[in-house]
Amino acid sequence: MPRSLIDFAELLTRVENDRELMRDLLSIFKEEFPRRHRALREAVKSLDTKQVASEAHALKGMLSNLAAREAAGAAARLEQLGRDGKSAEFRESLATFDNIAEELLLQLDARKAEVSG
Amino acid sequence: MRILVADDEIMSRRLLQKTMERAGYEVTAVGNGRLAADELCKSEGPKLALLDWVMPELDGPGVCREVRKRKEQSYVYMILLTSKEKRENVVAGLESGADDYLTKPFDPEELKARLRTGMRILDLEDRLVEAREGMRFQATHDALTSIWNRGVIMELLGRELARSRREGKCTAILLGDLDHFKRVNDTYGHLAGDEVLKETARRLLSSVRSYDFVGRYGGEEFLVVLNNCDPAYGLTRAEDIRKIIDLQPVQTSGGLVPITMSLGLLLSQEWGYRSAEELLQEADAALYAAKGAGRNCVKVATPKIQPDAGEISVPELARRRR
């Protein structure tokens, strides 16, 4: 069984066991994440270091709020690369981020019934 | 208690908003720093704020700096929320004027505990402001009657004098003195005397407009400044005040005390460029004339009424009319 990329126990602590708020946050995430993810890819493609840092920062915040530590860490690495102007390392870090994000979305779908019930 | 939540990231904003609402706060949530600064700088804006560091238009430290620039407003307790954990970031955040600093993702219990610290500081500020206002009142008002004290009424008169000269408008000075007040104290006791003074102040206040000034000039002497009034109105008001004072006896702990007041009126058309003190000497001379005319009346000051008024000192005038 793959490791869980979202720590639901921690997430529930963050929302003080308010499952309605948790569903609300997950719903916002599902809506916002693809747009932000696309924007990050665009920024990486155009080697726009400032924009990479900005988009990665926003993604890091969203993922941290979801208690998705590993994905937030990957976003943080991209943010730091953007701030340091290390555009040569963008693609490799983005690929790592993409993989984690893909798995995270799959896990969210798999637990859809649980989190939306 | 109202709190401002400022975060451009919608999930954080929602999470903060819900957490705060559950804790009993009334939340205003905004998505950028400019809106946050505008909200906090309003005179009735929230006094507590949770500010994200990175925001469009104005960042969290920028909001703190703007709010701190406005020193005249009430204190705003601001907490910066951010993922920036480096020591230099903490220092920069606090240097910008933030009161506290919390790293994201936040723990709800820790956040609420820190906000309670903020509430304690705001409560302390409220008590300090209250104490300062109390001291300011004591410094500017007469302790017995709660109307302006002598220093302030003289200052207000000086200001009004300058304004009426500048704007070419008429102002009236009324100097009133309770008749036979010593007899009140001797007959009914000093407590009753104090009650008479308080009631006199109340009657004076009730008989002038909100923008006129009433102050205690001396023991049983009161100064009224009627702003922006034509000469006919000044005389009418002076007569009305005299009647209101005389209308009914004052109910005191020593019994019913009948009171009357003599008044000297000076209209600004007679002022020329003399000082407030000089003008008061003329009003005092008119008051002396009212005493001489049998008391409980108004006399208008003109240089012709009391040609020798300038030769009599103010203390001497006061001594003569009692």
Side-chain angles (χ1 to χ4, degrees):
Chain A
M1 190 180 165
R3 72 210 181 282
S4 176
L5 288 170
I6 295 182
D7 185 340
F8 279 93
E10 192 182 323
L11 178 54
L12 273 170
T13 305
R14 294 241 177 96
V15 295
E16 297 176 289
N17 287 312
D18 182 343
R19 286 186 175 267
E20 195 185 325
L21 175 59
M22 184 175 80
R23 283 194 293 274
D24 203 15
L25 293 180
L26 288 168
S27 156
I28 296 170
F29 177 78
K30 292 271 280 182
E31 201 177 304
E32 285 285 304
F33 183 79
R35 189 176 61 80
R36 288 284 189 185
H37 195 181
R38 264 197 313 277
L40 175 66
R41 281 187 186 136
E42 288 297 319
V44 165
K45 200 173 159 187
S46 56
L47 301 177
D48 183 340
T49 52
K50 204 175 161 188
Q51 198 58 26
V52 166
S54 166
E55 295 298 340
H57 175 81
L59 283 162
K60 181 184 74 177
M62 292 171 75
L63 291 158
S64 297
N65 281 325
L66 273 195
R69 217 171 289 123
E70 194 175 337
R77 274 193 293 280
L78 273 160
E79 182 187 0
Q80 196 55 52
L81 290 176
R83 292 199 193 288
D84 295 343
K86 294 178 176 171
S87 55
E89 296 173 44
F90 279 173
R91 284 185 184 281
E92 191 188 336
S93 287
L94 179 65
T96 306
F97 181 78
D98 285 348
N99 288 336
I100 299 170
E102 190 181 353
E103 178 60 29
L104 185 135
L105 291 172
L106 284 172
Q107 287 185 13
L108 269 182
D109 280 340
R111 295 188 70 160
K112 193 176 176 184
E114 186 187 336
V115 297
S116 63
Chain B
M1 182 66 157
R2 289 171 64 204
I3 186 166
L4 179 92
V5 167
D7 199 317
D8 61 321
E9 203 274 289
I10 186 168
M11 283 176 66
S12 291
R13 199 160 69 235
R14 184 68 57 88
L15 184 57
L16 283 166
Q17 181 163 6
K18 280 281 177 188
T19 306
M20 292 299 94
E21 282 173 353
R22 240 196 317 266
Y25 291 93
E26 188 189 328
V27 181
T28 302
V30 295
N32 72 57
R34 170 48 46 213
L35 290 173
D38 291 348
E39 208 48 50
L40 293 173
C41 290
K42 285 179 183 168
S43 58
E44 295 299 320
K47 287 181 168 186
L48 271 178
L50 291 172
L51 306 167
D52 186 25
W53 186 299
V54 180
M55 285 190 285
E57 297 196 41
L58 191 64
D59 63 11
V63 175
C64 293
R65 277 189 288 272
E66 276 211 14
V67 171
R68 293 292 177 246
K69 258 192 253 170
R70 305 197 174 191
K71 294 187 194 319
E72 75 279 5
Q73 69 170 176
S74 317
Y75 195 75
V76 180
Y77 191 90
M78 295 179 284
I79 300 180
L80 275 175
L81 281 171
T82 179
S83 51
K84 292 174 185 286
E85 291 171 316
K86 288 181 183 166
R87 196 170 60 90
E88 59 265 32
N89 291 134
V90 176
V91 172
L94 295 174
E95 288 289 341
S96 72
D99 296 283
D100 202 355
Y101 188 96
L102 202 58
T103 51
K104 282 182 177 178
F106 64 88
D107 174 78
E109 290 310 315
E110 185 182 354
L111 174 60
K112 282 185 266 185
R114 285 176 189 258
L115 282 170
R116 282 193 290 274
T117 304
M119 298 269 279
R120 283 197 293 274
I121 287 172
L122 291 176
D123 181 54
L124 178 65
E125 196 226 1
D126 282 347
R127 280 186 282 147
L128 287 172
V129 168
E130 206 175 303
R132 186 191 65 193
E133 290 307 313
M135 283 190 282
R136 186 176 291 169
F137 188 88
Q138 281 174 25
T140 53
H141 290 73
D142 175 60
L144 179 69
T145 59
S146 294
I147 56 176
W148 295 120
N149 63 25
R150 184 185 172 116
V152 173
I153 192 72
M154 287 301 286
E155 195 184 316
L156 291 170
L157 172 62
R159 214 183 292 169
E160 185 54 27
L161 191 63
R163 196 181 68 83
S164 84
R165 277 173 189 150
R166 199 171 56 244
E167 296 176 5
K169 288 182 176 159
C170 181
T171 298
I173 300 174
L174 264 171
L175 195 57
D177 188 277
L178 284 173
D179 297 324
H180 301 301
F181 184 71
K182 190 176 177 304
R183 226 182 275 167
V184 173
N185 276 334
D186 293 345
T187 311
Y188 301 90
H190 285 275
L191 190 60
D194 285 352
E195 288 167 309
V196 164
L197 290 170
K198 280 200 253 187
E199 176 59 16
T200 303
R202 198 194 62 74
R203 290 183 189 182
L204 287 173
L205 278 177
S206 70
S207 61
V208 298
R209 300 160 299 179
S210 59
Y211 50 91
D212 293 328
F213 306 128
V214 177
R216 189 169 174 200
Y217 189 66
E220 67 270 28
E221 221 169 0
F222 296 86
L223 179 59
V224 178
V225 182
L226 300 172
N227 302 311
N228 194 15
C229 71
D230 60 52
Y233 176 80
L235 192 55
T236 307
R237 291 309 303 153
E239 191 53 38
D240 287 346
I241 287 169
R242 187 197 64 73
K243 284 181 192 159
I244 286 168
I245 298 293
D246 184 30
L247 194 62
Q248 53 187 359
V250 179
Q251 179 71 61
T252 71
S253 51
L256 280 175
V257 180
I259 57 166
T260 58
M261 181 177 264
S262 301
L263 296 125
L265 169 67
L266 181 68
L267 297 161
S268 64
Q269 60 199 18
E270 305 293 339
W271 289 2
Y273 282 88
R274 286 163 296 165
S275 69
E277 288 74 14
E278 282 176 297
L279 293 171
L280 270 173
Q281 276 200 13
E282 292 208 352
D284 207 32
L287 169 58
Y288 178 62
K291 294 279 184 188
R295 298 182 170 83
N296 192 19
C297 61
V298 180
K299 289 291 174 190
V300 182
T302 68
K304 288 170 194 159
I305 288 178
Q306 292 287 325
D308 59 343
E311 295 163 20
I312 305 169
S313 68
V314 173
E316 174 60 15
L317 279 168
R319 193 193 62 74
R320 280 195 206 174
R321 65 167 181 268
R322 284 190 181 97

